[in-house]
Amino acid sequence: MKKNIDVIIYVFSLFLIAFGGIIYIFFRPHNLLFWSFLRLIDIEKYFPYIVLNNSSRFLSFVIYSLPDGLWELSVLCILGLIFCNKLKYFVLTASIFLVFSILMEVSQYYKIIAGTFDLLDILVLFISYLIGILIYFIHRSFVYDKKMEINSIN
């Protein structure tokens, strides 16, 4: 049963990466660093830039803030699988990743890296971190509950 749950979390993580990538590929301007790689391998022309009404706060959130949160959550899900039985290592690596992500956002404020600083992005990263921690504990408790049931049967 543990393997089934692990596979579900792994597939969920891949879905988060793919969904965030789709948003980036189709709805973000082609002047981002990401696109220089696609130009290099000559596939940029296959991905049209779809311009949406940015006056919508929701669409702006989905296009500009959500992808980072999805990717943050994806990494935490994978870390949760790697460190399933090692709580302190999971919390340490997840926290380091959160701090790194926030530092990337803050470095945009100081023009150290290209991008637009947005407090909403930091909030989304933090919420994704909390959801990742929650998924970790749910997964961990499910795995340990099943192990206890198996041990009590024997």
Side-chain angles (χ1 to χ4, degrees):
M1 185 61 111
K2 177 193 180 310
K3 293 226 186 262
N4 291 342
I5 298 299
D6 288 357
V7 168
I8 290 169
I9 291 174
Y10 182 72
V11 169
F12 177 65
S13 181
L14 290 176
F15 170 77
L16 295 172
I17 291 170
F19 189 61
I22 288 169
I23 293 170
Y24 241 75
I25 287 172
F26 290 106
F27 301 104
R28 296 293 298 264
H30 287 206
N31 62 352
L32 300 172
L33 181 62
F34 167 77
W35 286 102
S36 60
F37 171 72
L38 295 181
R39 271 185 227 104
L40 183 68
I41 58 175
D42 198 32
I43 63 169
E44 176 189 21
K45 59 189 168 215
Y46 300 111
F47 301 104
Y49 172 42
I50 301 170
V51 180
L52 297 175
N53 178 3
N54 282 345
S55 64
S56 164
R57 199 72 181 129
F58 176 74
L59 281 179
S60 182
F61 165 77
V62 168
I63 294 170
Y64 296 105
S65 298
L66 185 62
D68 290 341
L70 295 174
W71 295 333
E72 175 92 15
L73 181 56
S74 175
V75 169
L76 267 61
C77 287
I78 297 297
L79 289 173
L81 292 174
I82 293 169
F83 298 116
C84 181
N85 299 324
K86 298 176 176 119
L87 175 62
K88 87 175 154 182
Y89 293 118
F90 170 74
V91 171
L92 178 66
T93 56
S95 298
I96 289 171
F97 193 78
L98 174 65
V99 168
F100 175 76
S101 299
I102 290 172
L103 285 175
M104 295 297 288
E105 190 64 32
V106 170
S107 65
Q108 292 175 3
Y109 177 79
Y110 290 105
K111 307 293 185 224
I112 296 170
I113 64 170
T116 305
F117 174 79
D118 188 354
L119 281 174
L120 183 59
D121 290 351
I122 293 175
L123 179 64
V124 167
L125 290 170
F126 187 70
I127 290 170
S128 296
Y129 172 81
L130 294 176
I131 293 170
I133 298 285
L134 179 65
I135 290 171
Y136 173 82
F137 281 111
I138 291 170
H139 173 251
R140 184 180 159 133
S141 69
F142 183 80
V143 168
Y144 281 133
D145 286 348
K146 292 300 174 193
K147 282 183 180 177
M148 293 177 104
E149 285 177 21
I150 291 169
N151 288 338
S152 66
I153 293 172
N154 294 332

